[in-house]
C-alpha cells in the first residue's frame, strides 16, 4: 500500500522533511522564548485572572 | 464578591499616561448570557445522561422500552453522544467563555444581540438534533451525525460565537491576552475548520445527504475531525477555563505562565496530527497510521505539562480543596485529564490498540474524559458562577458534597467494569485452541460474559445522574435565595492606543495582537492537517483499485441507507484488521480498494456485535430475515434488538432516482440511464430475494418491505473481492 501511495505523489520525500523542520522550528522558537522571556512580565501575566475590574456601584 | 481585588488593573506600560481615576471607564459585564448557558448545561446534562442510561440498559435488556423505532439503541446512541458533547459540554464551555472572557478582557461582550442569537441558535440546534436523530436522520459519522441543514446552522451559530468573541477581544481594556483567551481563539478557529471540512456532503433531499468523501478518505477526514473535536471542543476550551477558574477559586496566580504558553503551542500543534490513531490496522496507509501514533505519544508532554500547571496552581491552597466544591470538582477534573491523556497515547501504540480497539475499553476512556474532565470543570464552574451572579451563597454545601461523591463513585463504577470487560472480551476474541481454531468461535459467547459488567456500568451511570439532579436542585435553590445581577457594573482604565510596541519582546507583541495571533494559530493547526491529509486525498485516483469492486445495486443502496438510519454502525464494524484472530473469525481482511464507492464509510468504532464486512453470503436470506425479526430465536442470549418495523414499512423506491443521480455526481460510475430504471431494477432484485425466503404463514413475505432491501445490502457486503479469486 505505502509503495503505491509514495509512487504516485510527486516529491513526497520532501513531506517528512518539511514536517520535521516545522516541528523543530516551532519547538525551538517556543524554547527560545521560554528562556529569554522577561520574568516580571510573566508574573504580571500569571496574575491577570486575579486582577478584577473595580466594582462600580454607582454605575447602575 | 468575596475575593474581588480592590485594585483595578492598569494595562502594563500605560499607567503613567493615566492621570487618575477620572479616566476609568464604566461598563457592565453581561451576566444574563452566562446565566442562560449555565441553566442550559444544567438541564441538558440530565437529558444527555438519561439517554445514556437508557442505551446502557438496552445493552442489558434489549427489549427495554419495547420496539419503538425512535427509541431503538442505534438511533438513541448518537443522541446520547451528541447531547453530552454539544449540549452539556458545549453549553458549559460557552458559560465559562462568556464569564471569563469578559473579566479577562475587562469588557462587556461585543454585542448582546450576537450573544442572544448564539444562545438561542445553539439551543435550537440541540432541539433539532433531539428530533432528527431518533427519527433516523443521520449521516452516521460519529459526533457529526446531524444532517446538512443542521450542519449549516451549526456553522452559522459558531461563526456568530467567534465574531462576538473576537469583537470583545478587539475592544478589550486589558492589553495582554491571558492564555485562556488563546485557548478560546484556537477553539473557535479549529472547530470551524474541522466542522466545515468534515461536513462536505451532497444533499439528496431535505434531510438526507451523502458524504463528499468515500471509503478511506472519508474515514481519514472523519477521524481527523472526530479526534480533534475531542481536542478542540472538549479539551482546549476547558483548558482555557482551567487556567482562569482554578487561579480564581484558589486565589493564586497560575503556577507557571511560561509553562502555559509552551502548553498552548505544543498542544495545538501536536493534536491535529494524532487523528489516524483511530484507524490503526485499518486500510489506511501505514505512514499515516505511524504519524498518528508518533504525535499521540508526543502529546503526553504538553498534556501533562498542563495538568501539572493546573494542580500546582493550588500550591499552598490545598486546604481549600477539602472544603470548596469548586476546587474539589476541578481537581478531580484535572486529574482525570491527566489520566485520559496518558491513556490516549498508550492506546495509540499499535500493540495496545490491537487489544483495546473496538472494545468497551474505549467507552470507559471517553467517559473518564466526559464525566470526570468535562463534568468536573463544568460543575466546578457552576458552583463558582451561580452564587456569584445571583449574589448569594451556595444553598447547601452538604448537597454539593453528596453530588461530588455520587459523581466520583459513579465514574469509578462506570469505568472500572468497562475497562475489565473491554480487555476480557478482546482476549476472548483472540484466544485460540491448540488445534488452531478459535476458542470462542461464536461471537455471542464473548458478549454474554459482558452482561454483568454492563449492569454495574448502569449503576455507575445512575449514580452520576443522581449527582447531577442533586446539583440542579442545589443550584436552583441557590438562585432562588438570591437575585440575578444581570449587569455587573465595574470600571477600568481604557486601553491606551498610543503605546508603542516596537521595542517590546516579540511574543509580548503577539499577546497584544489578537488577529496576528489568530492567523498564526490557524497556520499551526493547518500544517498538520495539510501535510497528513493531502497525500491521502491524492490517493483517491491512485488507490489500489480492485476491478471486481462495483457500485451497489439500487436495492443495496437503499438497504445501506436503512443500515445507516438504524445506526447499525453503532455496534457493528465493517473493517477486518489483518490479525489471524480476525481473518479466522470473519474472513479476508479489509482492503482500501473495497470502499471506493462507500459514501459515507461505515467502518464503525465499536464491536458490540460482530464485524459485518464479510457477512455477505455467509448466511441464507432466511437467516437474516428471522434474525432481524426475532434475534433471540436465532441466537439465544443475544442482546441484538429486534427490528419489527422493517417488516411493516415499505421500501421507498421513489427515492432511488435522486440517490443514483447524487451518487453519480460524487463519482460513483452508475451507467447512463440507471436513475430512470433504478426502481424497476430494485423491485426485480427484491422479488428475487423474497422468492428465496420460505413461506411464513404468520407473516407472509412481501418484497416491498424494508427488510428485503436491508438483506440485499447485507448479502452484498465484502463479496466483491471474492470474485477476483473466481477467475
Amino acid at each position: 500500500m505505502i509503495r503505491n501511495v509514495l509512487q504516485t505523489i510527486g516529491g513526497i520525500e520532501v513531506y517528512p522533511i518539511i514536517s520535521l523542520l516545522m516541528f523543530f522550528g516551532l519547538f525551538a522558537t517556543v524554547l527560545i522564548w521560554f528562556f529569554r522571556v522577561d520574568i516580571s512580565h510573566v508574573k504580571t501575566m500569571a496574575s491577570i485572572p486575579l486582577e478584577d475590574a473595580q466594582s462600580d456601584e454607582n454605575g447602575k | 464578591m468575596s475575593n474581588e481585588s480592590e485594585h483595578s488593573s492598569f494595562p502594563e506600560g500605560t499607567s503613567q499616561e493615566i492621570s487618575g481615576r477620572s479616566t476609568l471607564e464604566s461598563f457592565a459585564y453581561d451576566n444574563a448570557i452566562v446565566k442562560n448557558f449555565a441553566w442550559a448545561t444544567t438541564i441538558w446534562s440530565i437529558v444527555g445522561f438519561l439517554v445514556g442510561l437508557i442505551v446502557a440498559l438496552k445493552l442489558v435488556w434489549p427489549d427495554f422500552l419495547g420496539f419503538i423505532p425512535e427509541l431503538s439503541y442505534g438511533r438513541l446512541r448518537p443522541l446520547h453522544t451528541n447531547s453530552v458533547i454539544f449540549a452539556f459540554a458545549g453549553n458549559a464551555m460557552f458559560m465559562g467563555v462568556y464569564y471569563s472572557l469578559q473579566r479577562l478582557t475587562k469588557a462587556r461582550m461585543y454585542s448582546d444581540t450576537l450573544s442572544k442569537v448564539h444562545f438561542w441558535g445553539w439551543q435550537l440546534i440541540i432541539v433539532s438534533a433531539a428530533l432528527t436523530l431518533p427519527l433516523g436522520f443521520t449521516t452516521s459519522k460519529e459526533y457529526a451525525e446531524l444532517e446538512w441543514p443542521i450542519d449549516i446552522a451549526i456553522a452559522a451559530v459558531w461563526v456568530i460565537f467567534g465574531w462576538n468573541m473576537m469583537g470583545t477581544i478587539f475592544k478589550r481594556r486589558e492589553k495582554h491576552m491571558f492564555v485562556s483567551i488563546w485557548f478560546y481563539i484556537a477553539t473557535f478557529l479549529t472547530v470551524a475548520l474541522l466542522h466545515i471540512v468534515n461536513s462536505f456532503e451532497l444533499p439528496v433531499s431535505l434531510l438526507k445527504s451523502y458524504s463528499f468523501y468515500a471509503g478511506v478518505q472519508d474515514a481519514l477526514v472523519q477521524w481527523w475531525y472526530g479526534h480533534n473535536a475531542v481536542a478542540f471542543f472538549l479539551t482546549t476550551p476547558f483548558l482555557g477555563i482551567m487556567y482562569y477558574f482554578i487561579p480564581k477559586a484558589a486565589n493564586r496566580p497560575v503556577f507557571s505562565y511560561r509553562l502555559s504558553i509552551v502548553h498552548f503551542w505544543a498542544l495545538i500543534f501536536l493534536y491535529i496530527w494524532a487523528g489516524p490513531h483511530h484507524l490503526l490496522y485499518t486500510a489506511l496507509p501505514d505512514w499515516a497510521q505511524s504519524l498518528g501514533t508518533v504525535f499521540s505519544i508526543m502529546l503526553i508532554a504538553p498534556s501533562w505539562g498542563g495538568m501539572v500547571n493546573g494542580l500546582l496552581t493550588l500550591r499552598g491552597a490545598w486546604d481549600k480543596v477539602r472544603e470548596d466544591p469548586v476546587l474539589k470538582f476541578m481537581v478531580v477534573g484535572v486529574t482525570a485529564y491527566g489520566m485520559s491523556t496518558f491513556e490516549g497515547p498508550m492506546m495509540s501504540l499499535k500493540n495496545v490498540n490491537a487489544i483495546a480497539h473496538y472494545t468497551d475499553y474505549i467507552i470507559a476512556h471517553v467517559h473518564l474524559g466526559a464525566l470526570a474532565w468535562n463534568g468536573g470543570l463544568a460543575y466546578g464552574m457552576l458552583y463558582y458562577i451561580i452564587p456569584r451572579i445571583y449574589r448569594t451563597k451556595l444553598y447547601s454545601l452538604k448537597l454539593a458534597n453528596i453530588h461530588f461523591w455520587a459523581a466520583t463513585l459513579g465514574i469509578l463504577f462506570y469505568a472500572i467494569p468497562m475497562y475489565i470487560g473491554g480487555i476480557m472480551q478482546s482476549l476472548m476474541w483472540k484466544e485460540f485452541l491448540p488445534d488452531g481454531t478459535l476458542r470462542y468461535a461464536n461471537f455471542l459467547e464473548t458478549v454474554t460474559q459482558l452482561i454483568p459488567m454492563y449492569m454495574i456500568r448502569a449503576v455507575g451511570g445512575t449514580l452520576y445522574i443522581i449527582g447531577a439532579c442533586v446539583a440542579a436542585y442545589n443550584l436552583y435553590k441557590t438562585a432562588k435565595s438570591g437575585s440575578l445581577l444581570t449587569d455587573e457594573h465595574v470600571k477600568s482604565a481604557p486601553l491606551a492606543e498610543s503605546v508603542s510596541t516596537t521595542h517590546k519582546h516579540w511574543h509580548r507583541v503577539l499577546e497584544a495582537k489578537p488577529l496576528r495571533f489568530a492567523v498564526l494559530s490557524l497556520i499551526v493547526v493547518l500544517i498538520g492537517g495539510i501535510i497528513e491529509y493531502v497525500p491521502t486525498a491524492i490517493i483517491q485516483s491512485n488507490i489500489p483499485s480492485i476491478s471486481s469492486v462495483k457500485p451497489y445495486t439500487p436495492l443495496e443502496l437503499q438497504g445501506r441507507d436503512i443500515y445507516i438510519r438504524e445506526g447499525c454502525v453503532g455496534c457493528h464494524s465493517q473493517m477486518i484488521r489483518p490479525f489471524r484472530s480476525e481473518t479466522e473469525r470473519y474472513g479476508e481482511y479489509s482492503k482500501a480498494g473495497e470502499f471506493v464507492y462507500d459514501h459515507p464509510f461505515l467502518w464503525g468504532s465499536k464491536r458490540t456485535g460482530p464485524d459485518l464486512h464479510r457477512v455477505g453470503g455467509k448466511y441464507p436470506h432466511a437467516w437474516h430475515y428471522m434474525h432481524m425479526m426475532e434475534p433471540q430465536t436465532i441466537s439465544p442470549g443475544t442482546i441484538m434488538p429486534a427490528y419489527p418495523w422493517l417488516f411493516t414499512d415499505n421500501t421507498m423506491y421513489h427515492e432511488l432516482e435522486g440517490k443514483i443521480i447524487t451518487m453519480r455526481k460524487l463519482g460513483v460510475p452508475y451507467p447512463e440511464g440507471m436513475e430512470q430504471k433504478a426502481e424497476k431494477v430494485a423491485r426485480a432484485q427484491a422479488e428475487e430475494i423474497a422468492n428465496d425466503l420460505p413461506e411464513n404463514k404468520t407473516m407472509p413475505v412481501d418484497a416491498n418491505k424494508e427488510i428485503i432491501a436491508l438483506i440485499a445490502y447485507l448479502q452484498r457486503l465484502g463479496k466483491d473481492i471474492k470474485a477476483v479469486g473466481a477467475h
Side-chain angles (χ1 to χ4, degrees):
Chain A
M1 176 96 202
I2 188 162
R3 205 169 297 122
N4 282 312
V5 174
L6 294 183
Q7 279 171 357
T8 51
I9 302 169
I12 188 75
E13 313 78 37
V14 79
Y15 274 66
I17 297 167
I18 294 175
S19 50
L20 183 70
L21 285 178
M22 284 173 169
F23 180 80
F24 181 79
L26 186 114
F27 280 85
T29 317
V30 173
L31 269 183
I32 291 169
W33 170 83
F34 188 90
F35 288 110
R36 292 194 52 191
V37 66
D38 175 7
I39 296 294
S40 68
H41 168 66
V42 163
K43 279 190 178 155
T44 316
M45 291 301 288
S47 306
I48 284 182
L50 303 178
E51 290 166 9
D52 289 318
Q54 205 176 341
S55 180
D56 185 11
E57 293 295 324
N58 304 327
K60 286 173 201 173
Chain B
M1 276 190 243
S2 57
N3 59 356
E4 248 182 339
S5 161
E6 284 299 302
H7 307 285
S8 68
S9 167
F10 296 102
E12 202 190 346
T14 62
S15 52
Q16 298 94 328
E17 294 152 37
I18 295 162
S19 53
R21 295 203 162 215
S22 58
T23 58
L24 296 184
E25 285 179 354
S26 283
F27 62 99
Y29 295 138
D30 180 6
N31 282 343
I33 189 68
V34 178
K35 171 210 76 175
N36 286 350
F37 280 115
W39 292 120
T41 192
T42 309
I43 294 161
W44 285 124
S45 65
I46 295 172
V47 176
F49 301 154
L50 271 178
V51 179
L53 182 61
I54 291 170
V55 291
L57 291 174
K58 275 172 174 280
L59 287 180
V60 181
W61 298 286
D63 296 354
F64 178 59
L65 290 184
F67 299 104
I68 303 158
E70 289 76 16
L71 297 179
S72 59
Y73 178 90
R75 297 194 192 185
L76 284 187
R77 184 181 185 253
L79 179 63
H80 165 59
T81 53
N82 276 278
S83 56
V84 169
I85 297 171
F86 300 108
F88 167 52
N91 279 311
M93 172 223 299
F94 297 135
M95 161 180 73
V97 170
Y98 277 86
Y99 186 88
S100 61
L101 183 68
Q102 296 187 79
R103 283 149 183 88
L104 286 170
T105 54
K106 297 200 170 56
R108 189 184 178 86
M109 287 309 295
Y110 171 68
S111 156
D112 285 6
T113 312
L114 288 182
S115 300
K116 281 180 195 142
V117 173
H118 172 205
F119 175 77
W120 289 109
W122 196 255
Q123 309 316 311
L124 200 66
I125 287 163
I126 294 167
V127 170
S128 56
L131 292 174
T132 56
L133 291 173
L135 287 170
F137 298 108
T138 170
T139 65
S140 86
K141 293 172 82 165
E142 281 187 78
Y143 327 128
E145 285 94 347
L146 301 176
E147 267 298 351
W148 68 273
I150 310 174
D151 279 343
I152 294 172
I154 293 171
V157 171
W158 192 257
V159 168
I160 285 168
F161 160 58
W163 177 11
N164 204 11
M165 178 170 74
M166 294 310 288
T168 312
I169 295 169
F170 281 116
K171 64 165 200 171
R172 70 196 184 281
R173 292 184 183 81
E174 171 62 56
K175 182 167 160 52
H176 292 292
M177 293 190 298
F178 184 63
V179 70
S180 294
I181 301 175
W182 301 24
F183 278 108
Y184 300 157
I185 293 176
T187 299
F188 162 62
L189 292 172
T190 316
V191 170
L193 176 77
L194 296 166
H195 172 69
I196 291 168
V197 174
N198 191 42
S199 299
F200 275 150
E201 51 214 357
L202 208 55
V204 180
S205 60
L206 183 65
L207 286 170
K208 174 74 191 166
S209 65
Y210 290 126
S211 174
F212 180 76
Y213 319 95
V216 176
Q217 282 79 34
D218 200 34
L220 186 71
V221 175
Q222 159 60 22
W223 285 112
W224 170 73
Y225 161 88
H227 175 75
N228 288 302
V230 174
F232 288 87
F233 198 89
L234 298 175
T235 306
T236 53
F238 285 86
L239 286 171
I241 282 164
M242 173 189 90
Y243 276 120
Y244 176 78
F245 284 94
I246 290 192
K248 284 304 272 187
N251 203 21
R252 293 277 187 286
V254 176
F255 169 67
S256 165
Y257 193 76
R258 288 197 293 178
L259 184 55
S260 74
I261 305 303
V262 177
H263 179 199
F264 174 82
W265 287 113
L267 197 83
I268 66 161
F269 181 73
L270 296 179
Y271 240 127
I272 207 83
W273 298 75
H277 69 210
H278 290 256
L279 299 166
L280 298 180
Y281 290 112
T282 66
L284 188 76
D286 271 350
W287 68 268
Q289 295 187 28
S290 301
L291 264 184
T293 301
V294 169
F295 278 87
S296 303
I297 298 296
M298 287 194 287
L299 261 173
I300 296 178
S303 302
W304 276 51
M307 172 192 69
V308 166
N309 212 0
L311 292 178
L312 286 181
T313 299
L314 295 166
R315 74 204 179 285
W318 281 97
D319 54 308
K320 286 187 183 175
V321 180
R322 271 207 308 272
E323 278 131 36
D324 185 3
V326 175
L327 286 175
K328 274 187 194 178
F329 272 100
M330 292 208 169
V331 164
V332 165
V334 175
T335 311
Y337 172 67
M339 290 193 279
S340 296
T341 53
F342 178 72
E343 198 174 55
M346 289 303 111
M347 286 191 298
S348 72
L349 291 170
K350 278 185 121 176
N351 50 353
V352 180
N353 191 275
I355 297 170
H357 193 50
Y358 290 134
T359 73
D360 286 312
Y361 193 99
I362 311 301
I363 309 302
H365 170 66
V366 300
H367 281 81
L368 185 66
L371 298 180
W373 160 241
N374 297 117
L377 287 193
Y379 287 113
M381 272 193 291
L382 281 167
Y383 287 127
Y384 180 90
I385 290 173
I386 293 285
R388 279 172 175 77
I389 62 175
Y390 281 92
R391 289 190 293 177
T392 182
K393 275 190 162 14
L394 186 65
Y395 170 68
S396 165
L397 199 61
K398 201 176 164 193
L399 285 179
N401 280 328
I402 291 173
H403 173 208
F404 175 77
W405 284 109
T408 308
L409 289 174
I411 293 163
L412 294 178
F413 274 102
Y414 189 110
I416 294 169
M418 289 291 93
Y419 281 133
I420 296 170
I423 298 287
M424 188 176 76
Q425 191 183 27
S426 183
L427 296 178
M428 288 174 86
W429 287 343
K430 290 172 184 294
E431 196 172 339
F432 281 94
L433 289 169
D435 65 359
T437 54
L438 288 165
R439 184 178 194 99
Y440 303 98
N442 184 358
F443 188 91
L444 187 56
E445 289 177 82
T446 72
V447 180
T448 46
Q449 298 284 333
L450 294 177
I451 306 294
M453 309 290 177
Y454 286 163
M455 285 177 178
I456 306 172
R457 178 256 295 269
V459 171
T462 308
L463 269 174
Y464 199 91
I465 295 173
I466 291 171
C469 293
V470 169
Y473 174 75
N474 199 4
L475 293 168
Y476 170 75
K477 293 296 276 185
T478 306
K480 286 289 274 183
S481 73
S483 66
L484 180 71
L485 183 62
T486 316
D487 295 301
E488 189 177 328
H489 291 272
V490 285
K491 47 190 175 180
S492 181
L495 193 63
E497 288 173 8
S498 59
V499 182
S500 161
T501 52
T502 47
H503 63 282
K504 291 273 178 66
H505 192 276
W506 59 270
H507 201 274
R508 209 181 297 183
V509 174
L510 201 61
E511 283 161 6
K513 298 278 179 202
L515 201 60
R516 212 177 291 176
F517 172 81
V519 171
L520 196 65
S521 346
L522 188 65
I523 291 171
V524 166
V525 166
L526 276 173
I527 291 168
I530 291 170
I531 295 197
E532 197 171 51
Y533 173 65
V534 167
T536 324
I538 291 169
I539 305 172
Q540 188 155 26
S541 51
N542 306 315
I543 212 154
S545 57
I546 304 171
S547 58
S548 60
V549 173
K550 299 277 185 293
Y552 295 104
T553 67
L555 189 67
E556 289 160 6
L557 186 63
Q558 194 67 8
R560 192 172 199 267
D561 285 340
I562 294 168
Y563 185 98
I564 291 172
R565 183 189 72 197
E566 300 305 338
C568 305
V569 71
C571 286
H572 296 280
S573 59
Q574 287 187 20
M575 171 48 64
I576 302 163
R577 296 177 295 176
F579 299 141
R580 195 174 140 244
S581 59
E582 297 210 356
T583 52
E584 196 72 17
R585 184 183 298 278
Y586 304 116
E588 184 62 26
Y589 68 89
S590 307
K591 318 282 190 297
E594 290 184 83
F595 303 99
V596 287
Y597 304 128
D598 281 16
H599 297 268
F601 82 117
L602 291 172
W603 293 2
S605 63
K606 173 168 79 74
R607 283 181 186 153
T608 303
D611 187 280
L612 297 180
H613 191 211
R614 302 269 177 239
V615 81
K618 193 173 178 183
Y619 305 107
H621 296 330
W623 187 94
H624 288 292
Y625 194 80
M626 285 310 295
H627 186 243
M628 299 299 292
M629 191 189 281
E630 288 173 16
Q632 292 277 353
T633 316
I634 302 289
S635 319
T638 183
I639 51 170
M640 160 102 177
Y643 289 84
W645 58 94
L646 299 182
F647 295 82
T648 53
D649 293 352
N650 286 324
T651 303
M652 301 290 188
Y653 289 115
H654 65 273
E655 293 173 352
L656 278 169
E657 187 176 345
K659 287 183 178 180
I660 299 284
I661 293 170
T662 312
M663 279 293 185
R664 192 187 286 120
K665 280 185 196 157
L666 291 170
V668 180
Y670 280 110
E672 274 304 310
M674 178 53 104
E675 56 271 37
Q676 283 94 25
K677 59 178 185 186
E679 186 172 340
K680 206 174 133 199
V681 172
R683 283 183 189 276
Q685 194 187 356
E687 281 298 333
E688 226 173 89
I689 293 171
N691 290 336
D692 198 40
L693 288 165
E695 281 299 317
N696 184 333
K697 280 177 191 154
T698 49
M699 187 181 271
V701 175
D702 183 347
N704 291 323
K705 300 304 174 194
E706 289 190 323
I707 182 68
I708 305 294
L710 184 62
I711 292 175
Y713 171 63
L714 292 173
Q715 293 290 34
R716 171 67 184 274
L717 279 175
K719 265 166 94 177
D720 284 9
I721 63 159
K722 291 179 186 166
V724 182
H727 43 76

